[in-house]
Amino acid sequence: MEVNRISLYIKNILFNKMSKEILIFVFFLILSGIFWLILTLNETYEREIKVTMQIKGIPKNVVLTSDEVDTLRVMVRDKGWVLIRYLYEKERNINISFKNHDRGNGYGIASSSDVKRLVIQQMEMSTTVNSVKPDRIEFFYNNGERKRVPVRWAGRVIPEQLYFISHVQYWPDSVDIYSSKEKLDSINAIYTEPLNYVGFRDTLIVNCKASHPKDVKVVPEQVRVGFFTDVLTEESIDGIPIKAVNMPEGKVLRTFPPKVKVHFVTGVSQFHSLRPEDFTVIADYHEISQNPSDKCNIYLKVIPHGISRATLATKQVDYLIEEQE
């Protein structure tokens, strides 16, 4: 009984005079919308669509060294209903024949007319192709020649004040590059794309691409760079021995004091691993013999990596030259 009452209630609502007028209005609204859509889609429009592209027939001993263009941007003109098909149907693609477009010496090119012709073949007869970008396809290749080179970072990476970059690590630390023999001989390192990081204090790990000329292929092209920071501190180490250089046979240089102190700036963690033997301080006999004096100059010759603003506590010392028996 309850179901019958509900059905009767709905029937009364649908078939009363006002409801009939609403239904008629909605019907004609939908009908007019359909006519409007048909008229709209029958108009001519311009629209950019994407066409995928591949180079086919590459010999087994050939390696493409240029970045492949895998998508063309094509500006087409046609009826609206045709453009909708282009946008929502499966992707169209063209194939560039390696053999037909190889120019030799590691270079190939498909001209703008060739590319446009291949694109038109994928379109409807009614479609006008106004432009294709890029309008021509260039590719570079070699016969497998490669070279392994280290990765280096490029750009502007500056930690916060009182911090410094103690060391840099790469994953991987080297990459394989493919290009012509002349180009391979001229490249000794591959640099990252320009980095820009300022004001950090903790370890910074960056994922980035390798930067390279268009006729060089890098494997892998994606690398990670780690910048490890440390807190700057002013420190000093005493007891660094003075070594004599360019001493003639049979002579010995004795300095007073025999050991000196060096002041420097470094990271807190690195300071704890430093020893006096990590530094080298010298006195040069040639300079002493050419400019005799009561004191001789001493020089800080070797400084460990990660040390900055290193200076000797004293730059001159007393000395004595003895003859060996």
Side-chain angles (χ1 to χ4, degrees):
M1 292 297 292
E2 185 68 26
V3 174
N4 291 335
R5 283 201 302 269
I6 293 173
S7 300
L8 184 61
Y9 176 73
I10 294 174
K11 188 181 296 184
N12 291 332
I13 291 176
L14 291 176
F15 292 100
N16 63 39
K17 184 177 179 180
M18 184 174 292
S19 297
K20 287 180 180 180
E21 291 176 354
I22 293 174
L23 289 173
I24 293 171
F25 173 77
V26 171
F27 171 76
F28 282 104
L29 181 64
I30 294 173
L31 190 62
S32 62
I34 292 172
F35 280 118
W36 173 84
L37 183 61
I38 292 172
L39 291 173
T40 301
L41 293 179
N42 203 42
E43 295 289 331
T44 300
Y45 301 94
E46 281 191 357
R47 186 64 185 264
E48 184 179 273
I49 64 173
K50 293 181 179 180
V51 176
T52 58
M53 188 279 297
Q54 286 184 310
I55 298 175
K56 291 291 189 179
I58 302 173
K60 291 183 178 179
N61 64 326
V62 167
V63 177
L64 290 180
T65 58
S66 54
D67 292 332
E68 289 189 57
V69 177
D70 57 5
T71 303
L72 303 176
R73 293 180 287 115
V74 182
M75 185 64 71
V76 296
R77 180 180 177 83
D78 209 331
K79 302 289 186 182
W81 58 271
V82 178
L83 297 182
I84 287 180
R85 287 174 54 191
Y86 287 148
L87 294 174
Y88 295 103
E89 283 185 350
K90 65 178 182 179
E91 289 186 349
R92 284 167 166 73
N93 61 81
I94 64 171
N95 296 323
I96 304 292
S97 169
F98 179 90
K99 180 179 179 181
N100 295 340
H101 298 92
D102 178 22
R103 299 293 183 268
N105 296 321
Y107 176 71
I109 182 172
S111 66
S112 56
S113 59
D114 288 338
V115 173
K116 191 171 183 178
R117 175 178 53 80
L118 291 171
V119 169
I120 290 174
Q121 290 175 0
Q122 298 298 315
M123 301 297 158
E124 300 291 339
M125 294 291 293
S126 60
T127 301
T128 301
V129 176
N130 290 336
S131 66
V132 180
K133 295 180 181 179
D135 61 345
R136 63 178 185 170
I137 304 299
E138 290 183 298
F139 57 90
F140 298 86
Y141 66 90
N142 73 359
N143 293 317
E145 296 93 346
R146 68 176 181 174
K147 179 181 178 181
R148 195 157 186 83
V149 295
V151 178
R152 296 289 181 265
W153 69 275
R156 183 167 174 259
V157 181
I158 305 173
E160 192 175 294
Q161 193 174 8
L162 301 182
Y163 286 78
F164 81 111
I165 298 172
S166 58
H167 73 281
V168 180
Q169 190 169 343
Y170 302 90
W171 300 276
D173 60 1
S174 55
V175 293
D176 291 322
I177 58 173
Y178 296 80
S179 190
S180 63
K181 186 178 184 305
E182 294 76 13
K183 183 73 73 172
L184 292 178
D185 291 340
S186 67
I187 298 176
N188 295 315
I190 285 292
Y191 289 85
T192 67
E193 60 187 345
L195 306 178
N196 186 20
Y197 295 92
V198 178
F200 61 96
R201 61 170 63 182
D202 297 324
T203 298
L204 175 66
I205 305 295
V206 179
N207 292 312
C208 54
K209 288 184 177 180
S211 177
H212 56 87
K214 66 178 183 178
D215 57 345
V216 175
K217 182 176 183 178
V218 178
V219 180
E221 193 172 14
Q222 198 79 18
V223 297
R224 295 175 67 204
V225 185
F227 298 92
F228 296 84
T229 59
D230 200 354
V231 180
L232 286 172
T233 179
E234 292 188 12
E235 299 290 348
S236 63
I237 286 185
D238 201 357
I240 300 172
I242 300 173
K243 297 181 180 180
V245 296
N246 298 319
M247 292 298 297
E249 189 175 351
K251 292 182 181 292
V252 176
L253 176 68
R254 301 194 186 279
T255 61
F256 307 94
K259 297 180 180 181
V260 291
K261 178 188 290 187
V262 63
H263 302 283
F264 53 86
V265 174
T266 188
V268 172
S269 60
Q270 183 175 6
F271 172 69
H272 296 302
S273 64
L274 290 175
R275 298 173 300 169
E277 294 79 14
D278 296 327
F279 298 83
T280 300
V281 177
I282 64 166
D284 190 348
Y285 177 79
H286 285 169
E287 181 182 344
I288 296 171
S289 61
Q290 292 173 7
N291 301 285
S293 176
D294 294 337
K295 295 180 179 292
C296 68
N297 295 323
I298 57 176
Y299 303 95
L300 187 57
K301 195 69 174 178
V302 176
I303 303 170
H305 177 72
I307 300 295
S308 63
R309 303 207 295 264
T311 56
L312 290 168
T314 180
K315 295 183 179 180
Q316 288 187 325
V317 293
D318 295 324
Y319 71 94
L320 179 65
I321 298 176
E322 296 180 347
E323 297 284 344
Q324 280 186 326
E325 296 182 1

